[in-house]
Amino acid sequence: MWERVCERLEALVADWEPRTTAKQRLTGVRLHRALREEGYQIGLTMIHEYLRERRRQRAEVYVPLVHRAGDEAQVDFFEVTVELNGEWQKAWKFLLRLMYSGREFAWLYQRCDTVAFLDGHARAFAYLGGIPRRCIYDNLPAAVRKIVAASVTDQALRSAGEPLSVRAVLCPCR
């Protein structure tokens, strides 16, 4: 019996869902009423349990990230457009974010080169009053020239971080 009712419930939900909005949502009471009108003998509690399980199965699952103080920072260096003296110009924004506290440092540069990239790090560490144990670079054009050179780039980043005792972590390009 439940299999027949479940099949009809799924058909009703599939039929009604595209036609309902957040305010005018599909409720257990509406489904129960529709099934009773069609002659199904089912209790409202069963409908609510079905909907609860359906929501649980469709829920987005995520794993919360836990960051320790001073453990890591995420770094990005990207192109932006800025207005300078009434004129729009291309610039590069260096952004370093401490993951535990959420504190950020940002600085604009006229070029995207190694000097600007390393200068951004030095300024960020001075401003924030310390150096995180590791910096994470996610899809960073200034750090990743080509995917084929990722191992060379990874080694270059590690070498650049050694004097500061920073461990560079290079995330794969998307």
Side-chain angles (χ1 to χ4, degrees):
M1 165 101 177
W2 172 246
E3 290 79 27
R4 279 188 332 135
V5 174
C6 194
E7 285 177 19
R8 183 60 187 140
L9 257 173
E10 289 172 7
L12 281 173
V13 169
D15 185 41
W16 287 2
E17 242 178 2
R19 295 183 288 156
T20 58
T21 64
K23 275 189 167 182
Q24 180 192 19
R25 59 178 206 251
L26 185 58
T27 65
V29 173
R30 284 185 182 179
L31 284 170
H32 182 255
R33 186 180 310 128
L35 287 170
R36 298 290 288 203
E37 288 172 0
E38 292 180 13
Y40 291 95
Q41 297 298 318
I42 187 166
L44 183 58
T45 304
M46 292 294 288
I47 304 291
H48 284 280
E49 287 176 8
Y50 166 82
L51 290 173
R52 189 178 307 115
E53 179 62 20
R54 187 171 186 278
R55 276 192 302 272
R56 187 191 67 76
Q57 289 178 357
R58 296 179 83 196
E60 185 176 338
V61 178
Y62 67 95
V63 177
L65 297 176
V66 177
H67 304 283
R68 293 185 192 98
D71 189 37
E72 63 189 23
Q74 287 188 352
V75 178
D76 206 351
F77 196 42
F78 53 95
E79 186 178 321
V80 295
T81 305
V82 296
E83 186 178 358
L84 186 62
N85 299 328
E87 193 176 310
W88 292 99
Q89 296 181 6
K90 181 170 79 169
W92 288 86
K93 183 177 183 178
F94 176 88
L95 181 65
L96 184 140
R97 182 173 199 261
L98 297 175
M99 299 312 296
Y100 176 76
S101 66
R103 289 186 64 202
E104 294 181 334
F105 172 84
W107 199 265
L108 292 175
Y109 291 93
Q110 291 179 328
R111 291 188 303 266
C112 175
D113 58 14
T114 306
V115 174
F117 184 68
L118 294 176
D119 181 67
H121 284 77
R123 289 177 186 270
F125 298 153
Y127 172 79
L128 296 168
I131 300 173
R133 282 187 213 42
R134 62 187 179 150
C135 290
I136 299 171
Y137 304 94
D138 185 13
N139 195 22
L140 188 61
V144 182
R145 294 283 180 219
K146 292 182 183 176
I147 293 175
V148 291
S151 61
V152 174
T153 305
D154 192 29
Q155 184 57 43
L157 276 172
R158 289 175 200 266
S159 301
E162 282 175 8
L164 301 172
S165 300
V166 175
R167 184 173 152 238
V169 178
L170 190 63
C171 295
C173 295
R174 289 178 231 162

